[in-house]
Amino acid sequence: MASQPPSRATNTAERRTSASIRQKTSRPTSAALSPIEQESRGANGPKRKTTTTTESKRDVTSQETFVRRTARVALKPAESNAKGGRSREVEQAQKADAAPIKKGTAEAAPSSWSPQASLLPPTSAPLACRISVPPQACHAPESVRAKSLSTLSLQEQEEAIISDLLFVCMGFEGQYIRYDGNYQPLDEKSRLSGPPFRMEYGLDPSLRDLASSMLKTATHYCAVEAFVEVQSREDFGTVNHALCAAMRKLLKDYLILIAQLEHQTLTNENFTLLQLNLHMKPTAHLMHQLYTVAHEILKENSMLDSAEDDLDQTDDFENILESLREGRETAIPGKKVCKGGSVLRLLTRRLQAMSGDPAARQLLTTLLKESSRPYMTMLNEWLHHGNVRDPHNEFLIKEQKSIRREGLEQDYTDEYWEKRYTIRTELVPPQLDSVKEKVLLAGKYLNVVRECGGIDNIKDRNLDARADVPHTFDDPRFAENVSNAYAFANRSLMTLLLTTHALPARLRSLKHYFFLDRSDFFSYFLELTHSELKKSAKNVNVSKLQSLLDIVLRQPGSVAAEDSFKEDVKVVMSDAGLTGWLMRVVNVQGMDADASTFSAYTPAPAASATGDSEKEISGYEALTLDYAVPFPLSLVVSRVTLTRYQLLFRYLLSLRHLETLLTSSWTEHTKNAVWTKRSTPRGKDVAAKDKRVEEWKRRAWCLRSRMLCFVQQLLYFCTCEVIEPNWGAFMGRLNQGEEVESDVRPGSQREGGKAPLRASTTTTAAAEAKTSGGAPVKRTVDELMQDHVDFLATCLKECMLTNSKLLRINSKVMATCTMFANYTSSLSRYLAAADPSSSTSSTNSTSYDPAKLDKLFSILQQYEDHFSRHLKILLDALNYLAATETVVFLGLCARLSMANEGGPGGGPGPGAYG
């Protein structure tokens, strides 16, 4: 009969253990704790033979303790379950054990103390506990509280503290170890920080020191458990969910350890507080690492900081607007959420900091590996399919679904290519820092291919590669996977552009129409539309111009008749003059150069750079062409690049038109009898007057010749020394499929000058593709697009269309030439009135007026002064820019200096020659 009490105590303990950890432990005992069981088995031999009195006393003490705690065990959220069957079994087992004791115990709980557990409403975290928080022990009446520690012996104190620590390590309050008074279990921030525990006074100092070191582990466990429940909510993203799942497995192993330690206390009499502390040491270290990781993530989420810190965060208005466009719920402005790549970056940084701790390193490696799996799934979907599967906005690629390809025709900022898919810098994990540009471009390229019907090729390729893709960052194939995906996407899009959609032929067609390299059709078009283009731009009939252009383009024998893309050419009339528009572009302030260039190319109402309204422009000044470019060629020939084509076209058209006007003036001078007839002397006075008339004619002819020389030399320079060499270099890079030297330029030498604008550096991804491992990439789509942009930018710069000073001076010289050519007929009438021989040989209907001859000299002198002065300023400016920016202007200076010869000063002015 002496062995009966221990047997009963053992059965009771088994029921208690089953009821307390039924919801937390379902796995078999961990192999790591087998030494504890061996110690337990070794301790249960001869040491189990004790006196009946001692065993009975221990049995009664254990039963009394158990009776007082059965109510609290049922109130712990993790110990209860929403399923009613299992909860009822636990309650029945507790009542069956407690009933015999209650009959013989005077300390029965009063009817006033009857705490109830309630079911909480569900949250977006599917595994979160839904049982209400148990009431705190400080609210319990005195009648159910345990005896003071000061009344217990040292052995009894140790047994009571061990029993309390087992409950505290699972998040419960004990009889002598309770929550601190400042802890609020209903406050989420307080629970995430972890409950501080305090021990009752009267405990032996040695026991207090040992127990205090284990209370931190209990605090860390409670904080990590609350962290897992909070971060498992839907809005924290799949990476946080995976991290919480990994932590939940570790917490489950922790609870298994607590259950095994409890088994030791019930079966091993010699199990002491020191042994409990030693067994908890390794787990306490790992729990501290989990708590530190959780604490850092919560700080990034601003869930542990004061409210003032949230005020410093700027609202992401762009994301809010995007959410409103898509009809999604918007996040709270200014609220930070650490998710996705931010979590991986934090774990990687923590892993690097703890590289000297093997246990912590193994734990953090496991957490990083498990939490990176959903991120790698999104990465592989983007790299190999071009899809963004990111419902929680945690991937490094951000998709603006409101930007669609249908808006490319009016996209003056390259918004589709530049902003449709962008990189979230804050969500890039360190493992992708060096290849983030390649990751972005690989998915963008595949998107273009898929939208153009090339999805079958992508599917065939990815069916073979699906089983081969890495699923974690530590996979040795990780870098190779990114490089191969980028090479395949680039190769697919290059083939689509160059072969399927014939990009080189499209570019040659653009050159024919916008650079007028074969302009027989366009000269005929200008002849047919002369009467219409003379009108004001507002009064021009655009439909009539379009009909005439279609007739010219379809005329047999024309160069354009064989062009298969002639249907895409349209006539449009601009609202602003070329000079005013360009001045507005180059004078944009408050932005960087690239932003100003892209934003200012958007057509705007006619307004000058100074803000005053421009004078009414003619049809010739407003005429321009438009070109319909289908997708995906519109990515290369975007609206921005097409606007550059239009600017160059309008400039070349203005030079051609001015050349035509001066040529018509020459025709007037050679056919009109007033200009061709030499005056015959009829006396001294008349001879002197005739000599003055002949002198005026020679000066007018010389001025017209200088103006025509200026226009022809400038037109030749723009076409043959700027556009053609740059075009040849651009097409060479396009056709050869490999990079050429950026400073090679046929037909010109650039010694001592800066590199042209087209020689800018290519994208980071293109450079990485040539230096990193994986499949080699000789040419990339972004290099092609950048070469095209650089070609047009160089042409604009070297045609003097990007420098405000050159633009103003050049426009004044051309305006002077235009006015002189337009006033040729008026000068002819003035000359007929001022020529003495012409007046005397007439029917005397017009009397000779000497004042008119003086007026002719005055008008001509004004034209000469304006032209010579502005041309000299232009040459000085070109000389300066040739020495500071690009030497290409030296050739232009040499050519234009010929137009400066023969002026009133007897030769070119100082600084006219290069």
Side-chain angles (χ1 to χ4, degrees):
M1 296 300 292
S3 60
Q4 185 64 27
S7 175
R8 181 179 179 184
T10 303
N11 295 336
T12 304
E14 289 176 355
R15 293 197 201 99
R16 176 185 171 193
T17 304
S18 174
S20 62
I21 63 172
R22 186 183 300 273
Q23 300 302 321
K24 294 224 173 196
T25 59
S26 60
R27 293 167 54 186
T29 304
S30 175
L33 298 178
S34 57
I36 302 177
E37 296 182 350
Q38 294 175 2
E39 180 182 352
S40 174
R41 296 190 185 97
N44 291 337
K47 296 180 180 180
R48 291 290 299 164
K49 297 179 180 180
T50 56
T51 60
T52 305
T53 306
T54 304
E55 291 180 355
S56 301
K57 182 183 295 185
R58 180 179 179 87
D59 184 42
V60 171
T61 304
S62 176
Q63 289 176 346
E64 288 178 353
T65 304
F66 178 65
V67 168
R68 293 192 184 103
R69 293 190 185 167
T70 49
R72 285 201 302 274
V73 171
L75 294 176
K76 176 69 175 69
E79 305 300 324
S80 301
N81 196 315
K83 297 180 180 180
R86 188 170 292 258
S87 299
R88 285 191 294 272
E89 291 177 5
V90 175
E91 293 175 1
Q92 291 173 2
Q94 293 171 350
K95 290 178 181 179
D97 291 335
I101 306 299
K102 286 184 178 180
K103 293 178 181 179
T105 304
E107 294 182 12
S111 58
S112 59
W113 175 250
S114 57
Q116 299 288 331
S118 59
L119 190 64
L120 300 177
T123 65
S124 58
L127 299 181
C129 179
R130 295 183 56 192
I131 305 299
S132 60
V133 178
Q136 292 182 253
C138 61
H139 303 308
E142 290 290 338
S143 58
V144 299
R145 296 186 181 182
K147 297 179 180 179
S148 174
L149 283 173
S150 58
T151 62
L152 301 179
S153 64
L154 182 63
Q155 182 179 0
E156 290 175 341
Q157 285 185 358
E158 184 177 15
E159 292 176 355
I161 290 301
I162 290 176
S163 180
D164 269 13
L165 284 174
L166 293 176
F167 278 93
V168 168
C169 286
M170 292 188 295
F172 300 120
E173 289 182 288
Q175 292 181 342
Y176 304 105
I177 303 177
R178 299 178 180 178
Y179 295 144
D180 188 81
N182 296 327
Y183 175 67
Q184 300 294 332
L186 298 179
D187 181 35
E188 182 177 273
K189 184 177 293 186
S190 183
R191 285 188 289 112
L192 290 173
S193 300
F197 292 94
R198 59 178 178 85
M199 289 181 289
E200 188 175 317
Y201 294 105
L203 184 64
D204 184 78
S206 60
L207 298 178
R208 177 179 293 274
D209 291 341
L210 289 174
S212 299
S213 63
M214 288 185 283
L215 292 182
K216 292 183 180 180
T217 304
T219 300
H220 295 164
Y221 167 76
C222 296
V224 172
E225 187 181 38
F227 169 82
V228 169
E229 289 195 0
V230 171
Q231 295 292 116
S232 296
R233 295 170 186 168
E234 182 181 5
D235 52 338
F236 285 97
T238 56
V239 174
N240 272 318
H241 297 168
L243 176 63
C244 291
M247 286 185 170
R248 191 177 283 111
K249 291 180 181 179
L250 297 174
L251 294 180
K252 191 172 185 180
D253 293 338
Y254 169 82
L255 290 176
I256 291 176
L257 172 64
I258 299 300
Q260 292 173 344
L261 293 174
E262 183 182 27
H263 180 70
Q264 290 293 308
T265 61
L266 298 176
T267 58
N268 185 3
E269 287 184 349
N270 297 326
F271 189 77
T272 62
L273 184 60
L274 178 61
Q275 292 176 339
L276 177 64
N277 188 17
L278 292 177
H279 286 305
M280 289 288 293
K281 282 290 185 184
T283 304
H285 178 61
L286 298 184
M287 194 61 63
H288 173 70
Q289 295 298 326
L290 290 179
Y291 173 79
T292 305
V293 170
H295 192 74
E296 291 185 5
I297 293 177
L298 291 173
K299 285 176 62 178
E300 291 291 328
N301 284 337
S302 300
M303 301 182 72
L304 296 179
D305 298 335
S306 58
E308 288 80 3
D309 295 337
D310 292 337
L311 299 178
D312 297 334
Q313 304 300 322
T314 57
D315 297 345
D316 192 355
F317 293 107
E318 185 177 351
N319 289 335
I320 295 175
L321 291 176
E322 181 68 17
S323 301
L324 292 175
R325 292 191 194 104
E326 298 175 10
R328 296 185 283 106
E329 294 183 0
T330 59
I332 301 175
K335 180 182 179 181
K336 294 191 302 182
V337 178
C338 181
K339 57 185 178 181
S342 299
V343 176
L344 299 179
R345 180 181 292 274
L346 189 147
L347 289 174
T348 304
R349 187 171 63 243
R350 183 69 184 169
L351 178 61
Q352 293 172 351
M354 302 300 298
S355 58
D357 187 342
R361 182 176 181 180
Q362 182 180 2
L363 172 67
L364 294 172
T365 301
T366 302
L367 293 179
L368 179 61
K369 182 178 180 179
E370 295 299 324
S371 59
S372 64
R373 290 184 182 277
Y375 198 90
M376 284 296 298
T377 301
M378 292 185 284
L379 178 63
N380 290 324
E381 180 70 20
W382 171 253
L383 287 176
H384 300 288
H385 299 276
N387 297 324
V388 178
R389 301 288 175 83
D390 184 22
H392 305 291
N393 297 324
E394 54 186 335
F395 190 45
L396 80 158
I397 303 299
K398 177 183 178 182
E399 180 183 12
Q400 297 278 7
K401 294 184 179 180
S402 60
I403 303 176
R404 306 181 184 277
R405 52 177 285 193
E406 289 78 8
L408 280 173
E409 294 182 359
Q410 301 298 327
D411 184 8
Y412 287 91
T413 58
D414 276 346
E415 191 177 52
Y416 181 84
W417 185 253
E418 299 294 336
K419 297 183 180 179
R420 166 78 172 178
Y421 297 103
T422 54
I423 295 178
R424 296 186 179 104
T425 308
E426 68 280 2
L427 296 182
V428 180
Q431 294 82 355
L432 293 175
D433 269 335
S434 59
V435 293
K436 59 184 178 182
E437 295 292 338
K438 294 171 68 174
V439 171
L440 172 65
L441 294 178
K444 288 171 68 174
Y445 293 167
L446 287 183
N447 265 279
V448 176
V449 175
R450 188 181 68 248
E451 291 191 14
C452 295
I455 190 64
D456 294 334
N457 188 21
I458 298 178
K459 285 183 177 179
D460 295 341
R461 186 251 180 185
N462 285 288
L463 285 176
D464 300 333
R466 186 176 300 171
D468 253 352
V469 296
H471 298 286
T472 57
F473 285 143
D474 57 354
D475 196 305
R477 303 167 299 168
F478 171 71
E480 183 182 0
N481 176 53
V482 176
S483 298
N484 290 339
Y486 174 70
F488 172 78
N490 177 76
R491 186 169 60 252
S492 301
L493 185 54
M494 286 287 284
T495 303
L496 183 70
L497 292 175
L498 299 181
T499 305
T500 307
H501 290 273
L503 177 61
R506 280 280 181 179
L507 294 175
R508 285 191 290 269
S509 176
L510 282 168
K511 182 172 179 282
H512 293 334
Y513 296 120
F514 287 89
F515 296 158
L516 306 177
D517 63 337
R518 300 178 182 178
S519 57
D520 59 335
F521 72 93
F522 198 73
S523 300
Y524 184 42
F525 170 73
L526 291 179
E527 292 178 7
L528 295 177
T529 57
H530 176 67
S531 60
E532 193 71 24
L533 293 177
K534 288 192 305 182
K535 303 176 183 178
S536 171
K538 297 179 180 179
N539 300 325
V540 172
N541 189 341
V542 181
S543 300
K544 182 179 180 180
L545 296 180
Q546 184 63 49
S547 301
L548 293 175
L549 179 63
D550 293 339
I551 293 174
V552 170
L553 293 179
R554 289 167 176 80
Q555 185 177 6
S558 173
V559 176
E562 302 299 327
D563 186 10
S564 57
F565 308 117
K566 56 181 177 290
E567 300 290 342
D568 297 328
V569 183
K570 305 296 179 184
V571 175
V572 293
M573 302 299 291
S574 178
D575 295 330
L578 176 63
T579 303
W581 191 3
L582 286 172
M583 288 298 294
R584 184 168 48 87
V585 171
V586 300
N587 286 334
V588 171
Q589 298 178 355
M591 300 180 181
D592 57 351
D594 293 336
S596 64
T597 301
F598 286 123
S599 61
Y601 278 156
T602 308
S608 64
T610 59
D612 300 328
S613 58
E614 281 187 345
K615 64 178 181 179
E616 193 172 348
I617 59 177
S618 66
Y620 281 104
E621 296 174 299
L623 176 64
T624 186
L625 298 179
D626 199 4
Y627 196 89
V629 184
F631 187 85
L633 296 181
S634 55
L635 298 177
V636 180
V637 188
S638 63
R639 176 53 57 178
V640 175
T641 57
L642 192 60
T643 304
R644 291 188 173 103
Y645 275 104
Q646 291 175 338
L647 293 176
L648 288 168
F649 168 79
R650 294 182 67 182
Y651 183 62
L652 295 177
L653 175 61
S654 64
L655 292 176
R656 285 288 182 91
H657 178 56
L658 182 54
E659 182 186 19
T660 302
L661 291 178
L662 291 173
T663 304
S664 300
S665 176
W666 172 82
T667 304
E668 174 75 15
H669 293 173
T670 56
K671 290 185 177 182
N672 196 323
V674 178
W675 291 89
T676 57
K677 180 181 177 182
R678 286 182 61 87
S679 300
T680 56
R682 301 184 181 183
K684 287 186 177 181
D685 295 338
V686 178
K689 295 174 182 177
D690 290 341
K691 186 176 180 179
R692 292 187 64 196
V693 170
E694 293 301 323
E695 180 186 355
W696 184 90
K697 289 181 182 180
R698 284 193 298 270
R699 288 176 60 181
W701 286 332
C702 181
L703 179 59
R704 184 211 66 225
S705 178
R706 290 170 59 200
M707 289 181 175
L708 185 59
C709 177
F710 165 79
V711 174
Q712 289 176 341
Q713 293 295 338
L714 185 56
L715 183 59
Y716 176 84
F717 171 79
C718 292
T719 54
C720 297
E721 293 193 8
V722 173
I723 294 178
E724 284 298 333
N726 284 283
W727 172 263
F730 168 58
M731 293 304 293
R733 290 173 62 87
L734 180 64
N735 295 330
Q736 292 175 7
E738 59 184 6
E739 187 174 8
V740 296
E741 294 296 327
S742 60
D743 56 351
V744 172
R745 177 188 177 126
S748 65
Q749 297 293 331
R750 303 191 178 215
E751 300 176 358
K754 293 186 178 180
L757 191 59
R758 70 170 183 276
S760 61
T761 57
T762 54
T763 58
T764 306
E768 291 172 358
K770 294 178 175 61
T771 58
S772 62
V777 181
K778 292 184 178 180
R779 287 289 285 165
T780 66
V781 176
D782 266 60
E783 281 182 334
L784 169 62
M785 297 171 65
Q786 189 63 41
D787 287 342
H788 190 214
V789 172
D790 290 343
F791 156 68
L792 294 172
T794 303
C795 292
L796 286 170
K797 180 181 180 181
E798 296 181 355
C799 288
M800 303 181 296
L801 299 181
T802 59
N803 187 288
S804 59
K805 183 176 182 181
L806 290 179
L807 197 58
R808 281 195 300 268
I809 300 171
N810 189 31
S811 64
K812 289 179 180 179
V813 176
M814 293 181 63
T816 303
C817 297
T818 304
M819 291 178 62
F820 179 79
N822 288 331
Y823 281 116
T824 299
S825 57
S826 300
L827 292 176
S828 298
R829 290 194 296 270
Y830 271 108
L831 180 60
D835 190 351
S837 60
S838 176
S839 299
T840 55
S841 61
S842 62
T843 59
N844 294 327
S845 59
T846 304
S847 60
Y848 168 67
D849 186 2
K852 291 184 179 181
L853 184 59
D854 295 334
K855 188 175 183 180
L856 280 176
F857 272 96
S858 175
I859 294 174
L860 185 61
Q861 186 66 39
Q862 291 179 6
Y863 280 117
E864 289 177 338
D865 291 344
H866 279 79
F867 180 75
S868 299
R869 182 174 69 255
H870 292 144
L871 182 58
K872 180 181 180 299
I873 296 173
L874 177 62
L875 290 173
D876 291 340
L878 289 175
N879 275 318
Y880 173 77
L881 293 175
T884 57
E885 291 191 11
T886 174
V887 295
V888 72
F889 288 145
L890 286 177
L892 181 60
C893 289
R895 292 185 176 277
L896 295 184
S897 62
M898 293 187 295
N900 201 31
E901 296 177 357
Y913 294 101

